[in-house]
Amino acid sequence: INTILLHPFAGVLSAYGMGLADLRSIRERQLDIPLNDKVQRTLELVFEELTEIACNDLLCQGHPRDKITMVRKVHMRYAGTDNPLLIDPDVNNDVMVKHFEEIHFRQYGYTAPDRDLVIEAVSVESIGGSEEPIKPFIGIKKPSNGGVTKAHETPMCVAGVWHDVPIIYRNNLAAEQQIIGPAIISEETATTVIEPGWQAELTRQGDCILTRIEPRPKREAIGTRVDPVMLEVFNNLFMSIAEQMGVTLANTAYSVNIKERLDFSCAIFAPDGSLVANAPHVPVHLGSMGASIKTVIRENADSMKPGDAYVVNAPYNGGTHLPDVTMISPVFGTDGTKILFYVASRGHHADIGGRTPGSAPPDSTSIHEEGVLIDNFLMVENGILRERETLDLLNSGPYPCRNPKQNIADLEAQIAANSTGIHEVTKMIDHFGLSVVQAYMQHVQDNAEESVRRVLDRLTSGAFVYPMDNGCQIKVKIDINREAREATIDFTGTSPQYKGNYNAPSAVCLAAVLYVFRCLVGDEIPLNEGCLKPLKVIIPPKSIISPEYPAAVIAGNTEVSQGVTDALFGALGVLASSQGTVNNFVYGNEKYQNYETICGGTGAGPTHTGTSAVHSHMTNTKMTDPEVLEWRFPVRVDSFSIRHDSGGRGKFKGGDGIVREVTFLEEMKMTLLTSHRHTDPYGLNGGESGAIGHNFIRRQNGDIEELPGNAESDMKAGDTFIMETPGGGGYGT
């Protein structure tokens, strides 16, 4: 910045909430009409009417007509989407379409040329410019000696150096008088600080102009060697980019599951697909997403282009279960030839097909019963949405998607999230330079690695066997090598691949390992690939944590991952069992589909009690607000309360679960995938176990129907489902 202009009345206007265009009126009209050749006449008539109304609003306040300006906007969107863009109207539709596509690509990262455009509304804004400001008295001549009357001096620190600086009242300044910094100009409504190297001068119109008179001193570049302060800056900068991606995704998504429950994750990856940083979203997504990126790299290394975006949900190529769909976009350098980063967003879609609404059949034995399998699909090419091909994919297979338009809407939100990530990564590179950003990408991972090694210095070896409701077990042995500052985590002895759907892909198991050891790090670092470097993980093949195609996996991502997490904490002896389940509650029909995970209690530790009524460990979502749930679906939330005394007793008590009652207002299919309905959430070091969960239906006629952990039921209008979730284990006697 070389010049700043301060108007003498700026402070007064600001203080009274007034501006140079204070009076305004906005008038809007809903239209919801397709953009076609006949639309122009309609727009002209509506604009004429709104213009007259908006203009009259200001005329009635006594504002002169010649001071009123009008701004017209067309609110345009793609058919099937909810986010209109404001476009300048034009008599030529092609001009408006071009303008819309430019803005849409810049904001959301793609265009869809084959999709219809809809004019949702038009608006007219009338703006009344203010009167000319009162001119200050300019009769004062510039003093012949050029002197300035100082009120007094005060010490002021500038750039680490103390100065005795004069305080000068603005009213005492004459026109064209110059003040060399450092100095302070004081007036009734403002204080202006003039730093060294700057000069202030009053114009004959009374404006105070600040001008730099000495060149800015040269600053050394950050450099690529690690600096503790800049390491912290980049730790937070990388995480911030992922968080901004998440905000875009939540704001633009359609489904309640993503928009309200926030069942999604966003992250940044290195050119080799290793996780660099993430926002604090869903741990099971984040720890496993890198395998999906590496699949896309392996399959498309020589064909990726700027503006491309790929979709994956295959559990055997880095996915978790089919409803979790990952959108992956490369971040190219300015020359468009070299990939510098990848950004990715993973969202849980309310339905991806499958034998039951919500894609969670409780008794599935094959992946194809659980929905549409997507493996390395190019959804956006050169910034153009391949909409027809995407719809064909979503409508394919033995059990296609029930609401492909909703899937498309959520996928487009994921594209928009990735576009935000690309823009922010590019800005970061422009600001710091590519070499610095790449160096700190590595420093951030190295710091995470060292943080985990410091944790290993304090841990002791241990083993744990974690029983599951279906008779399977998760067995783990952790050997700490203090000299090498490494650990071996061996899952040998874990049950073989299950005939049902309690199978977690190996990427999910690695995600649980990554999460547990990241939890033990006391520092504020992003969860990333560096956390895994000191850890050697042994996963037995064709087991419930390493299934082979076409094994069913819908409960593996949720239930088995929670079991792996609690088994690891149990082996380390640092935390009692959480509720150990995400309590999958899924319901729908051909029109509606919804998926909820329901909270419970967490385990206590050596120094703290457990927490009641929260999502824990591998899930990190919200509960859908009852108002939103009842607005979007034909259900009623009758109660949602703490399940008192369900947490295990001990020196430190486990957290309590909850009770949730939901009444169905029309016929739907309901499915459940829940755990700890037979086995207890364990306590540690003498602490008692938490209470097991309980599922049942109260039919409209009053009959009670008990349900197992995995269940499928036809709900009639008036039937009520009640879930009592498990509590966490206690710690200590």
Side-chain angles (χ1 to χ4, degrees):
I1 299 175
N2 293 314
T3 302
I4 302 172
L5 185 145
L6 300 175
H7 194 278
F9 297 100
V12 177
L13 293 171
S14 176
Y16 289 93
M18 299 169 63
L20 295 180
D22 185 55
L23 295 177
R24 63 182 60 214
S25 171
I26 300 175
R27 293 288 180 162
E28 185 174 306
R29 176 75 52 81
Q30 289 294 123
L31 292 181
D32 289 321
I33 56 176
L35 181 65
N36 55 43
D37 296 336
K38 301 178 182 179
V39 76
Q40 285 298 337
R41 182 55 183 161
T42 302
L43 292 180
E44 290 173 9
L45 293 173
V46 174
F47 273 131
E48 287 175 5
E49 181 182 348
L50 293 181
T51 298
E52 182 178 357
I53 296 173
C55 185
N56 285 336
D57 287 343
L58 300 191
L59 293 175
C60 290
Q61 298 182 57
H63 214 75
R65 184 181 292 273
D66 60 349
K67 298 292 184 181
I68 298 174
T69 57
M70 311 300 296
V71 178
R72 299 180 174 188
K73 292 291 181 181
V74 174
H75 301 230
M76 193 181 299
R77 59 177 171 80
Y78 280 127
T81 65
D82 295 324
N83 301 296
L85 299 175
L86 270 61
I87 308 298
D88 294 326
D90 196 283
V91 295
N92 189 329
N93 285 350
D94 292 339
V95 173
M96 287 199 294
V97 170
K98 182 180 179 181
H99 189 198
F100 171 84
E101 289 181 339
E102 289 172 351
I103 297 176
H104 196 278
F105 181 81
R106 192 162 58 244
Q107 187 158 333
Y108 298 116
Y110 73 95
T111 58
D114 296 332
R115 187 182 298 181
D116 291 336
L117 284 167
V118 174
I119 295 177
E120 181 178 280
V122 295
S123 61
V124 172
E125 180 179 8
S126 59
I127 304 170
S130 70
E131 297 294 330
E132 291 293 325
I134 300 172
K135 301 293 184 182
F137 178 67
I138 57 174
I140 301 176
K141 302 294 184 181
K142 180 178 178 181
S144 58
N145 59 6
V148 176
T149 304
K150 304 176 185 178
H152 54 85
E153 291 187 342
T154 187
M156 182 176 75
C157 186
V158 180
V161 179
W162 283 94
H163 302 265
D164 288 326
V165 302
I167 296 179
I168 304 163
Y169 292 130
R170 183 163 177 166
N171 290 342
N172 294 337
L173 289 175
E176 300 180 10
Q177 214 161 12
Q178 296 177 347
I179 299 95
I180 308 298
I184 295 174
I185 298 177
S186 176
E187 56 186 305
E188 291 183 359
T189 58
T191 300
T192 305
V193 176
I194 310 167
E195 295 190 349
W198 286 76
Q199 165 191 285
E201 180 179 356
L202 236 63
T203 68
R204 294 193 62 80
Q205 288 72 39
D207 297 322
C208 179
I209 297 179
L210 304 186
T211 307
R212 178 178 288 281
I213 57 175
E214 295 178 7
R216 182 188 297 272
K218 291 185 177 180
R219 300 179 181 180
E220 293 186 8
I222 293 172
T224 57
R225 295 182 61 182
V226 62
D227 173 82
V229 174
M230 292 310 302
L231 178 64
E232 187 66 16
V233 168
F234 274 94
N235 272 339
N236 288 278
L237 184 56
F238 283 126
M239 283 194 291
S240 172
I241 292 173
E243 288 175 345
Q244 290 179 69
M245 293 172 63
V247 170
T248 298
L249 181 51
N251 287 341
T252 55
Y254 174 80
S255 68
V256 168
N257 202 48
I258 295 177
K259 195 175 194 69
E260 302 292 339
R261 284 189 53 247
L262 309 183
D263 195 345
F264 63 78
S265 297
C266 300
I268 305 171
F269 298 83
D272 64 353
S274 59
L275 177 63
V276 174
N278 59 272
H281 292 150
V282 182
V284 72
H285 291 171
L286 296 163
S288 58
M289 223 189 297
S292 295
I293 280 80
K294 291 170 184 175
T295 295
V296 170
I297 294 172
R298 184 181 67 247
E299 300 295 330
N300 308 279
D302 299 325
S303 60
M304 288 192 209
K305 304 175 294 299
D308 287 354
Y310 297 84
V311 180
V312 174
N313 74 348
Y316 318 102
N317 272 329
T320 48
H321 56 192
L322 297 186
D324 284 340
V325 182
T326 306
M327 184 72 63
I328 300 160
S329 302
V331 182
F332 281 84
T334 53
D335 60 359
T337 60
K338 185 178 181 181
I339 296 175
L340 308 179
F341 286 90
Y342 290 90
V343 293
S345 55
R346 175 173 286 177
H348 185 116
H349 288 234
D351 183 274
I352 198 71
R355 192 173 53 75
T356 58
S359 312
D363 55 352
S364 56
T365 58
S366 166
I367 189 70
H368 299 292
E369 296 179 73
E370 298 176 349
V372 176
L373 187 69
I374 306 172
D375 200 355
N376 182 38
F377 173 72
L378 179 62
M379 182 173 174
V380 182
E381 185 173 14
N382 284 323
I384 305 299
L385 180 67
R386 302 176 69 222
E387 186 170 13
R388 186 179 303 278
E389 293 85 349
T390 304
L391 284 171
D392 289 343
L393 175 63
L394 296 175
N395 286 311
S396 67
Y399 300 103
C401 296
R402 291 170 177 78
N403 194 345
K405 289 186 177 180
Q406 177 172 294
N407 295 108
I408 289 283
D410 285 340
L411 287 169
E412 289 174 350
Q414 291 179 246
I415 298 169
N418 286 12
S419 180
T420 295
I422 292 171
H423 289 317
E424 293 303 318
V425 168
T426 303
K427 281 170 56 179
M428 176 176 60
I429 293 172
D430 290 343
H431 183 79
F432 290 101
L434 178 59
S435 60
V436 173
V437 172
Q438 288 183 327
Y440 275 92
M441 172 184 69
Q442 188 60 51
H443 296 329
V444 165
Q445 295 186 18
D446 292 343
N447 181 55
E449 176 186 349
E450 177 58 27
S451 298
V452 172
R453 291 192 190 278
R454 287 198 297 267
V455 167
L456 296 179
D457 293 338
R458 306 193 304 266
L459 297 176
T460 57
S461 301
F464 200 86
V465 177
Y466 183 93
M468 301 175 66
D469 284 358
N470 60 5
C472 295
Q473 68 174 24
I474 299 167
K475 186 175 182 180
V476 63
K477 182 181 180 182
I478 301 177
D479 288 320
I480 308 293
N481 185 333
R482 294 190 181 277
E483 292 183 2
R485 303 175 76 206
E486 295 176 349
T488 299
I489 301 148
D490 189 354
F491 288 94
T492 300
T494 296
S495 296
Q497 182 171 313
Y498 187 58
K499 62 181 180 180
N501 54 33
Y502 277 69
N503 299 296
S506 57
V508 170
C509 180
L510 289 173
V513 172
L514 181 60
Y515 164 77
V516 166
F517 281 88
R518 168 61 188 89
C519 281
L520 299 175
V521 175
D523 301 328
E524 291 292 332
I525 64 169
L527 180 147
N528 64 47
E529 205 87 4
C531 298
L532 279 177
K533 288 185 179 179
L535 310 175
K536 179 184 178 183
V537 184
I538 301 173
I539 301 175
K542 206 171 183 181
S543 64
I544 60 171
I545 52 175
S546 182
E548 295 180 357
Y549 175 84
V553 299
I554 186 65
N557 176 54
T558 58
E559 306 307 292
V560 178
S561 69
Q562 293 284 68
V564 172
T565 304
D566 278 328
L568 290 166
F569 280 125
L572 294 169
V574 296
L575 191 67
S577 175
S578 71
Q579 67 163 337
T581 174
V582 303
N583 299 304
N584 302 270
F585 173 40
V586 192
Y587 53 87
N589 50 32
E590 291 304 312
K591 183 177 180 180
Y592 301 100
Q593 303 89 38
N594 193 40
Y595 168 81
E596 275 200 295
T597 58
I598 299 181
C599 55
T602 67
T607 60
H608 62 88
T609 59
T611 305
S612 300
V614 292
H615 287 81
S616 57
H617 296 329
M618 301 309 284
T619 180
N620 186 33
T621 63
K622 295 172 61 179
M623 297 292 299
T624 308
D625 290 339
E627 295 84 358
V628 174
L629 199 66
E630 294 175 353
W631 175 51
R632 293 286 294 269
F633 302 101
V635 298
R636 184 180 67 244
V637 179
D638 293 323
S639 72
F640 183 36
S641 59
I642 300 289
R643 186 188 179 195
H644 294 290
D645 298 323
S646 55
R649 294 187 299 175
K651 180 179 180 180
F652 296 100
K653 181 180 178 296
D656 289 327
I658 61 95
V659 179
R660 191 167 174 88
E661 299 187 31
V662 178
T663 296
F664 288 79
L665 304 181
E666 70 177 60
E667 187 173 328
M668 289 193 186
K669 176 80 71 176
M670 180 189 73
T671 58
L672 302 174
L673 298 171
T674 61
S675 299
H676 283 309
R677 269 51 182 178
H678 297 295
T679 56
D680 297 332
Y682 67 80
L684 271 183
N685 198 27
E688 294 183 2
S689 299
I692 61 174
H694 182 207
N695 309 324
F696 61 99
I697 297 172
R698 184 172 61 242
R699 297 292 182 184
Q700 188 180 24
N701 61 6
D703 290 348
I704 300 297
E705 182 179 325
E706 297 288 337
L707 297 175
N710 274 30
E712 178 180 335
S713 182
D714 292 319
M715 304 297 290
K716 307 293 185 182
D719 291 345
T720 301
F721 170 68
I722 300 98
M723 179 182 287
E724 300 172 352
T725 65
Y731 190 97
T733 55

